[in-house]
Amino acid sequence: MPNLNAALVRGAVTSPFKRPGRPGATLPADRAARPAAPTAAAPLAAYRRICGFPQPGPLPPTDPDALPLTYPHVLGFPLAMRLMTARKFPLPVVGLVHTWIEITRHRALHPADPLELTVYAQELTPHRRGTEVTVVTEARLAGEPVWESRSGYLSRHATRTGPAPGDTTPLPELPAVAEWRLPGDLGRRYGAASGDRNPIHLYPLTARLFGFPRPIAHGMWTVARCLAEAPRPDEISWVRADFRAPVLLPATVIYAADATGFQLRGTGRVHLTGRTCRAPGPRTDPATARDGRS
């Protein structure tokens, strides 16, 4: 966490000197890495609690000891911040908006697995509201790729043509599953568990400094909470989530889902949409299926 806090301070200092959208901007080829190490138990337990994932225990046929699909992203976030706050990174980290994330898990992972993490910025892409950077996080186990994420972060600035109109096609409304009442201190609690103490998530005063009337929920908390609510979340091997509108805290939101997708809805707006894919489940012996033991 000290490295992450130092990165946040460095980002606040360097951001005013960066000019997003300048012609010819390129990404540095630098990569940030963490040597192979198992996952610390206490932060993981705190993360499971705040996001609603099951704690380890004898609950077959699920695998509650498996790392939550989103957790390696949390482990790699300090590395991503180190890259994005470096002097050579072309976009100011202050004001960057997390717009989407796609995660793929190639095999089940557990806390004892010594994961090697690598993070790098892959590309800069023109966006109707500015410039978007794609940041990749990769996890390896004994050199074998086992997990990866790709995230989009938007730096808003004026473009030559001006912002194009967004897609106004109404989203299909998925069936409501649960109503969640989110407390005002959710951002501080998730920040303590994840290490992401971005000021926009913490207090009304610090959120107002960045144009929000109240603190907003972490986007990665909303994704993780939705995945935790899904049946047998340990079997989900892929997720794509798009962040559409911030959740101002405190809030009451609706979690909606069907077999392959989910939404987080507020009053008159959709905060988050996502799609998932599951790994093949264990084969069932027909003899045990008949008597309820499978």
Side-chain angles (χ1 to χ4, degrees):
M1 295 314 168
N3 290 337
L4 181 53
N5 292 336
L8 289 171
V9 172
R10 185 168 61 249
V13 171
T14 60
S15 287
F17 300 98
K18 298 184 179 183
R19 295 292 179 264
R22 61 182 175 85
T26 59
L27 289 170
D30 300 352
R31 294 187 172 217
R34 188 197 78 163
T39 300
L44 175 58
Y47 180 83
R48 289 184 190 275
R49 283 194 297 271
I50 193 64
C51 296
F53 287 104
Q55 298 290 340
L59 296 172
T62 62
D63 183 8
D65 185 50
L67 285 183
L69 181 64
T70 47
Y71 198 64
H73 182 87
V74 173
L75 296 176
F77 185 68
L79 302 177
M81 286 296 298
R82 186 193 306 172
L83 287 179
M84 291 191 289
T85 58
R87 182 176 300 177
K88 293 184 292 184
F89 192 77
L91 303 179
V93 72
V94 173
L96 274 186
V97 179
H98 197 180
T99 50
W100 58 270
I101 186 168
E102 184 174 313
I103 300 174
T104 303
R105 174 178 59 81
H106 302 296
R107 51 155 288 183
L109 300 175
H110 297 86
D113 292 334
L115 294 180
E116 315 160 44
L117 298 175
T118 304
V119 179
Y120 58 93
Q122 187 176 59
E123 61 181 337
L124 289 172
T125 307
H127 187 279
R128 64 188 180 88
R129 295 188 181 277
T131 301
E132 190 173 75
V133 61
T134 299
V135 177
V136 179
T137 303
E138 298 175 342
R140 286 178 168 79
L141 192 58
E144 175 192 356
V146 292
W147 181 100
E148 62 192 46
S149 74
R150 300 175 73 251
S151 284
Y153 296 93
L154 174 64
S155 178
R156 297 184 179 183
H157 59 82
T159 62
R160 290 185 177 181
T161 59
D167 184 1
T168 58
T169 304
L171 292 169
E173 192 168 283
L174 300 181
V177 176
E179 181 181 272
W180 299 335
R181 297 182 184 276
L182 311 184
D185 66 347
L186 176 62
R188 297 194 293 276
R189 292 166 56 196
Y190 180 80
S194 67
D196 183 356
R197 294 184 175 88
N198 188 319
I200 63 176
H201 304 299
L202 302 182
Y203 300 98
L205 176 60
T206 56
R208 283 196 291 270
L209 294 175
F210 297 93
F212 296 99
R214 304 197 303 274
I216 65 174
H218 291 73
M220 287 305 299
W221 178 87
T222 63
V223 176
R225 184 67 188 90
C226 288
L227 293 178
E229 191 74 9
R232 300 171 70 163
D234 56 293
E235 292 182 359
I236 298 173
S237 59
W238 176 86
V239 62
R240 162 75 189 219
D242 291 275
F243 306 106
R244 295 182 171 270
V247 179
L248 297 172
L249 299 172
T252 299
V253 294
I254 299 295
Y255 165 69
D258 61 11
T260 60
F262 59 88
Q263 295 173 344
L264 197 65
R265 301 197 297 258
T267 303
R269 59 170 40 185
V270 176
H271 298 290
L272 174 73
T273 62
R275 293 173 290 134
T276 59
C277 182
R278 291 178 176 271
R283 295 182 63 181
T284 301
D285 183 343
T288 59
R290 283 192 296 271
D291 64 11
R293 289 182 285 123
S294 62

